[in-house]
């Protein structure tokens, strides 16, 4: 039983050594990061930036206890 425990412990420890190499695929001077979309993006409810900002402000006001109570 003890040999099995030692063997399993050794296998778990060695499993941590199997890390894959992390290489950068970008050319020098360019970024490998994917460009993010604008948060107000395409769609029916987020068609323009002003509407998106108004909705964010409304959500923040709803989370403000002082404004909700008073």
């Amino acid at each position: 039983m003890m040999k099995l425990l030692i063997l399993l412990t050794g296998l778990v420890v060695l499993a941590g050594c199997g890390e894959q190499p992390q290489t950068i695929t970008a050319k020098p001077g360019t970024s490998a990061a994917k460009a993010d979309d604008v948060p107000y993006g395409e769609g029916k409810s987020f068609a323009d930036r002003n509407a998106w900002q108004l909705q964010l402000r409304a959500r923040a006001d709803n989370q403000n206890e002082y404004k909700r109570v008073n």
Side-chain angles (χ1 to χ4, degrees):
M1 183 67 179
M2 188 66 161
K3 287 183 181 181
L4 180 62
L5 182 62
I6 292 172
L7 179 65
L8 289 176
T9 304
L11 289 174
V12 169
V13 169
L14 287 177
C17 297
E19 184 177 350
Q20 299 295 323
Q22 299 175 358
T23 58
I24 298 175
T25 58
K27 297 177 183 174
T30 61
S31 175
K34 180 182 148 257
D36 289 337
D37 295 331
V38 290
Y40 47 88
E42 299 291 327
K44 188 175 181 181
S45 62
F46 297 112
D48 65 296
R49 184 183 182 113
N50 290 332
W52 178 74
Q53 287 178 339
L54 287 173
Q55 185 179 11
L56 283 182
R57 283 191 198 114
R59 288 166 104 193
D61 286 345
N62 288 335
Q63 293 177 359
N64 187 348
E65 292 274 337
Y66 184 76
K67 285 188 175 185
R68 284 180 24 195
V69 172
N70 293 327

